[in-house]
Amino acid sequence: MSNWYQESTPLERRTFWASFGGWALDALDVQMFSLAIPALIAAFSITKAQAGFLGSITLFFGAFGGWLGGALGDRFGRVKALQITVATFALATFACAFVTDYNQLLVLKAIQGLGFGAEWACGAVLMAEIIRPDHRGRALGAVQSAWAVGWAAAVLLSAVIFTYVAKDIAWRVLFAAGLLPALLILYIRRGIEEPKRAVKAADMPFLATVSGVFKPEVLRSTLIGGLFGIGAHGGYAALTTFLPTYLREVRQLSVLGSSGYLAVIIIAFFCGCIASGVVSDRIGRRANVALFASACIATVLVYIFAPLSNSQMLLLGFPLGFFSAGIPASMAALFSELYPAGVRGTGVGFCYNFGRVVSAAFPFLVGYLSEHIGLGPAIGIDAAFAYSLVLLAVLMLPETRGKVFEQPIDAPSRA
C-alpha cells in the first residue's frame, strides 16, 4: 500500500503533503461546528432546526466555493488558489469565536463554506495533475484520509476544551483555534511549484472558465457527477452533523464518552480512505464506489435502527466509518479523470461541490424530522436515501481508471 509513496518523486511527495495538510486542516475547522452544536444551542437559545441551518449554509456556500475555486485554479494556477482558500476558511473560523448573535454566526459560516469548498477543489486537482496515473487512486485516497486526521484533531480539541474551559466560553476557544490552518500557507509558498498543463484558461474570460463544465462534450459528466455529489455529501452531512448530538442526547453519553465512539468512526474513516484508494486502482472506479455505497446503506440502517447496546454501537462504529469513507475517497480521482485540461479544476470543483447545494438541505431536514420522528430515525432515513443516489449515479458514469492526462509541450520536472 505504501509502494506508491516510496516510488514518488520529491515533487510528488511535497505536493501530497500540501494537499493532505490543507484537507486535514479544512476538516479541523469544519468539524468543530458539529461538536459545538449543543453549546451553540444553549448560548443563542436556538432550535435544532436552526442549528442544522448553520451546517446547511456552510454546505450551500461550499458548493459555490468549490466551483469558483476550481475555476480560479484553472485561470490563475492551483498553488495560488490553494493559498487563498486556506486563508479564507481559517480566518472565517477564527472570527466565529467573537460573534454575539446567531445572524453573525450565519454570515461567517457562509464565508467559511466558500473557502472550505474551494480548498478541496484546488488541492485535489493539484495532486491529480502531479501524481502518475497508476498511483492516482491511492494517492488521492490517502489525501482524502486527511479528513479523518482533521476530524480527530477537532474531537480531541473539543474534548479537552469542553472539559477544562468554562462552558459559556468553551465554544469560543474552540473556534479561535481555527486560525491554525493559516500556518500551512507558509509551507505551500515555499515547497510547491505550479504544475504545467496542456491547456491554460488564463486567456479566457473568468465567466467562460466557470461555465466550461456545461459545454456539450462534458455536460453529461457534469450532470451525473452533480448527482453523485448530492448523494455523497448528503449522506455524510446527514450522518455526521448531528451524530455527536445523537450520542450525547439520545444515547446519554458524556462529552468524553461520545468522543470515544467518534474516535472509532474516525479511525475507521482513515482506514476506509486508504483502502478505497487501493481498491479503486485495482478493480476500477465504478466497482469500488458501488461496493462502498451498498455497504454504507446497509451499515447506517443497522447502526441507527437496530436495538444495539452501547458496546455494540461502539463495535459497529468501525464499519460505519470505514464504508462511509470509500465514497469521498474515490471522488477526486474519478472526477479529475472525467474532464480535459482547461476545465479540469472547474469540473472537479463543480461535481464535488454541486452536491452541497442540494445536500445543504440534509442537516436542516434531519433537525426538522427529529422533532417529529426522533433524531435517530431522521439521521438513518436521510443518510440511506443519499447513499442510494451515489449508487445510481456511479452506474451511469464511464470507467476512467488509468487515464493519462494531456501532456504539456514542456513537461514539468519531477525533481
Side-chain angles (χ1 to χ4, degrees):
M1 184 169 63
S2 62
N3 285 347
W4 73 266
Y5 186 81
Q6 296 171 359
E7 295 170 5
S8 297
T9 65
L11 173 60
E12 289 173 325
R13 294 180 186 180
R14 290 196 301 271
T15 305
F16 168 76
W17 286 114
S19 300
F20 185 97
W23 194 228
L25 294 169
D26 202 331
L28 171 69
D29 280 8
V30 172
Q31 290 300 135
M32 285 179 180
F33 168 69
S34 64
L35 297 162
I37 284 179
L40 294 174
I41 290 175
F44 297 113
S45 300
I46 58 177
T47 66
K48 288 187 177 68
Q50 288 177 302
F53 187 66
L54 285 168
S56 294
I57 206 73
T58 305
L59 296 176
F60 183 82
F61 277 86
F64 292 100
W67 187 7
L68 295 175
L72 283 172
D74 283 336
R75 184 74 156 71
F76 302 109
R78 317 297 186 202
V79 176
K80 183 180 294 185
L82 188 60
Q83 294 172 30
I84 294 171
T85 59
V86 170
T88 299
F89 75 73
L91 291 172
T93 305
F94 177 73
C96 286
F98 304 98
V99 298
T100 57
D101 61 39
Y102 176 79
N103 290 330
Q104 292 175 4
L105 189 57
L106 202 63
V107 171
L108 289 172
K109 289 294 290 178
I111 296 173
Q112 184 196 49
L114 288 172
F116 158 56
E119 187 281 331
W120 185 91
C122 297
V125 178
L126 174 64
M127 189 68 208
E129 291 182 337
I130 289 293
I131 199 72
R132 63 198 71 181
D134 53 333
H135 291 168
R136 190 175 294 132
R138 281 166 285 186
L140 287 169
V143 168
Q144 190 69 34
S145 73
W147 185 267
V149 175
W151 190 4
V155 171
L156 289 173
L157 272 176
S158 172
V160 171
I161 290 172
F162 278 97
T163 300
Y164 296 105
V165 178
K167 291 184 179 180
D168 58 333
I169 63 168
W171 63 272
R172 295 185 184 275
V173 174
L174 183 64
F175 285 138
L179 191 61
L180 293 175
L183 298 175
L184 180 68
I185 295 173
L186 300 177
Y187 176 78
I188 295 172
R189 289 173 63 91
R190 292 173 60 87
I192 309 302
E193 63 185 68
E194 182 67 31
K196 295 180 181 179
R197 288 167 280 142
V199 178
K200 294 183 180 180
D203 297 327
M204 296 174 58
F206 184 67
L207 289 179
T209 304
V210 171
S211 62
V213 293
F214 300 115
K215 292 181 178 179
E217 57 268 29
V218 296
L219 181 59
R220 186 175 186 275
S221 294
T222 299
L223 295 177
I224 300 174
L227 179 64
F228 190 120
I230 292 172
H233 291 297
Y236 181 83
L239 183 63
T240 61
T241 299
F242 278 103
L243 189 58
T245 305
Y246 171 76
L247 292 173
R248 294 173 196 172
E249 294 188 359
V250 179
R251 304 298 300 198
Q252 299 297 309
L253 298 172
S254 66
V255 172
L256 289 175
S258 64
S259 297
Y261 284 74
L262 290 175
V264 172
I265 295 175
I266 292 167
I267 292 170
F269 189 93
F270 179 89
C271 295
C273 286
I274 301 297
S276 178
V278 173
V279 174
S280 178
D281 277 341
R282 290 186 178 177
I283 69 173
R285 314 303 189 213
R286 297 173 77 245
N288 178 66
V289 173
L291 173 65
F292 276 88
S294 300
C296 268
I297 295 169
T299 308
V300 73
L301 291 176
V302 173
Y303 189 84
I304 296 296
F305 290 104
L308 303 175
S309 66
N310 286 348
S311 297
Q312 291 170 330
M313 284 195 71
L314 183 64
L315 293 175
L316 192 60
F318 191 89
L320 179 69
F322 184 90
F323 292 126
S324 66
I327 297 171
S330 66
M331 293 169 74
L334 175 59
F335 291 158
S336 66
E337 291 164 349
L338 288 174
Y339 289 92
V343 294
R344 181 167 295 123
T346 312
V348 170
F350 180 87
C351 288
Y352 187 87
N353 291 284
F354 172 75
R356 289 193 172 120
V357 174
V358 179
S359 71
F362 281 79
F364 175 77
L365 187 59
V366 170
Y368 176 79
L369 288 178
S370 70
E371 297 174 0
H372 298 83
I373 63 175
L375 186 56
I379 293 173
I381 291 172
D382 277 21
F385 172 73
Y387 288 131
S388 297
L389 295 180
V390 173
L391 189 58
L392 174 64
V394 77
L395 295 177
M396 295 187 287
L397 288 174
E399 179 56 56
T400 58
R401 177 180 53 159
K403 180 178 179 180
V404 177
F405 291 156
E406 307 87 344
Q407 296 297 305
I409 296 175
D410 298 316
S413 170
R414 291 182 176 271

